[in-house]
Amino acid sequence: QTNWRASICRKAYLKNVAAAKMVQASWRASVDRKTFLKGLAAAKLIQAYLRAAGCRNAYLKSVAAAKMIQQKWRASVCRNRYHKHIAAAKMMQSYCRVAICRKTYLKN
């Protein structure tokens, strides 16, 4: 009987040990999975931030390029207007000079 009881107790003990090992393994797996999911969420967050930063930088570069083009275009338009005004002023000055010279020449 003692051997029989001992074998039954041993079998029950081994079942309990196996069950405890399964519970521990399951718990370890759940902890590892939670850790993995936290790391995955952190990686996704970092990737999203980097994507947003990259898009923001690309947008800012294109905005800066558009501003530069607009500035150059405005500058060329202003320069053309300035040159037209200068040409008109020179033409008026030469007309006035000619008129003054004619009057002085005709008086003499």
Side-chain angles (χ1 to χ4, degrees):
Q1 278 185 337
T2 316
N3 286 339
W4 184 71
R5 276 190 200 148
S7 70
I8 289 177
C9 287
R10 191 177 307 117
K11 285 179 184 178
Y13 171 75
L14 291 175
K15 278 184 184 178
N16 289 339
V17 167
K21 284 183 180 179
M22 284 187 68
V23 168
Q24 286 177 344
S26 175
W27 184 77
R28 277 193 210 109
S30 69
V31 168
D32 288 344
R33 179 162 175 72
K34 287 178 186 174
T35 305
F36 170 74
L37 290 177
K38 283 181 185 177
L40 191 63
K44 285 182 179 179
L45 186 67
I46 291 169
Q47 285 175 345
Y49 173 76
L50 291 176
R51 270 193 216 104
C55 290
R56 194 178 317 110
N57 288 341
Y59 170 74
L60 291 176
K61 282 181 184 177
S62 63
V63 166
K67 284 182 180 178
M68 181 68 73
I69 290 169
Q70 287 174 348
Q71 287 172 351
K72 287 189 177 194
W73 184 78
R74 281 189 197 121
S76 68
V77 167
C78 290
R79 196 171 24 257
N80 290 342
R81 285 184 192 160
Y82 172 74
H83 287 303
K84 283 181 184 177
H85 289 302
I86 294 291
K90 285 181 180 178
M91 195 178 277
M92 288 191 302
Q93 284 175 348
S94 66
Y95 178 78
C96 290
R97 282 190 195 124
V98 167
I100 291 171
C101 287
R102 280 188 188 150
K103 283 183 183 179
T104 55
Y105 177 74
L106 290 177
K107 283 183 183 179
N108 291 330

